[in-house]
Amino acid sequence: MPRSSRATARRKSSCDNASDLMVYEKYESSDFEKLIEVGKQSYTVLKEVGSHIKPGVRLVDIAKEVEAQLKEKNLTCSFPVNISANDNAAHYTPSFNDPRVFSDGDVVKLDIGGRSADYLSVLVITVDLSGEHGKLVEASEKALENAISIVKAGRKVSEIGKEINSTYAKYGINPIKNLGGHGIAKGELHAEPFIPNFDNDDDTELEEGDFIAIETFATEGEGYVIEGDYVQIFSMVREGQLRDAEHRKIMDFISKNYSTYPFAMRWLTEEFGSEFKVKSALNEMASKGMIDAYPVLVERSKGIVAQTEKSMIVERDSCTVTTE
């Protein structure tokens, strides 16, 4: 699940003081073995389910299959499965009764994450059902490969972005400039630093022991995403007072099961049986600033988008990829 270059830190609680801004807790070396285990299991799920993306298959069935296979491995989703096609770059997750099926012209990004407690993984592959955008997919994959090859402690994030964009240039492809990779911390998918897909002059250096995700977004369009109207993913910012007893039950369920991790409206509908009731609760929570929404992100010029992502631990002279 991508991070926007405009993303900001989330607060720990309902407090409004600046001092209560999220302080990210980095993983320790004792955590690395578990991160690698979660990453490898998630990779197995991604490859297996990715092979089932075919014309005529329902998107919601692929999402449910990811969830079921993660559960078999004693994992939950670190965020709702993103299944974004064509000019949709990210944040499309199926609704409860989503009728959409894959077509033979789709370029599909399957973006998943596994979670065991606060041990996380994030990873993406692109499946080209059209057979017409192989260069775009290859550019995204090669850019990630080249970026990983230069990751080490002391490396500036802008240098990673420069390497990614340099790869794209060889293919005549553009980066998406307002999406990119990110740090990952305990309990927080989107921590610092932001890792761009081009040289953005950011001198922030990676540190040994950082856990990061590099996301290479390649497009045939102009290279910027905007928010669309479709919204099915949310996360809780804080709890609060709700008027309706049913709304309070839904809020309590979110807090207990997802904490501040992103969740899908579909999951709540499956639990409470009424999409209307769930929407009503989320609308009240949104009006009180209790949840954040993640609208689908669309390439501004309607350009096709490919994406590849892996998670990795930064080392002194290289890195260890956890999701392979």
Side-chain angles (χ1 to χ4, degrees), residues 240-308:
Q241 298 297 317
L242 299 177
R243 297 186 301 273
D244 187 276
E246 290 299 313
H247 292 184
R248 291 195 294 273
K249 288 181 182 178
I250 292 172
M251 178 190 69
D252 290 342
F253 181 84
I254 294 170
S255 179
K256 178 181 177 180
N257 289 276
Y258 312 124
S259 183
T260 59
Y261 287 104
F263 60 87
M265 187 187 299
R266 173 172 57 85
W267 297 347
L268 300 182
T269 304
E270 291 170 350
E271 176 67 23
F272 292 95
S274 169
E275 190 171 51
F276 176 81
K277 182 191 302 182
V278 169
K279 285 183 177 179
S280 178
L282 293 179
N283 284 337
E284 183 178 0
M285 293 174 70
S287 71
K288 296 184 176 182
M290 296 164 58
I291 57 174
D292 283 338
Y294 298 82
V296 65
L297 300 176
V298 182
E299 207 285 320
R300 189 165 62 186
S301 65
K302 302 300 181 182
I304 300 296
V305 178
Q307 179 194 8
T308 315

Side-chain angles (χ1 to χ4, degrees), residues 106-158:
D106 284 341
V107 177
V108 183
K109 282 75 66 182
L110 180 60
D111 184 352
I112 78 169
R115 174 164 77 94
S116 175
D118 284 332
Y119 298 100
L120 309 174
S121 69
V122 288
L123 58 165
V124 181
I125 57 171
T126 296
V127 179
D128 177 19
L129 296 178
S130 73
E132 298 176 357
H133 299 281
K135 183 174 75 169
L136 182 68
V137 177
E138 182 181 329
S140 176
E141 292 173 346
K142 188 64 175 178
L144 179 59
E145 178 184 330
N146 290 345
I148 290 172
S149 73
I150 67 168
V151 170
K152 64 178 182 178
R155 178 69 68 190
K156 295 178 181 178
V157 296
S158 59

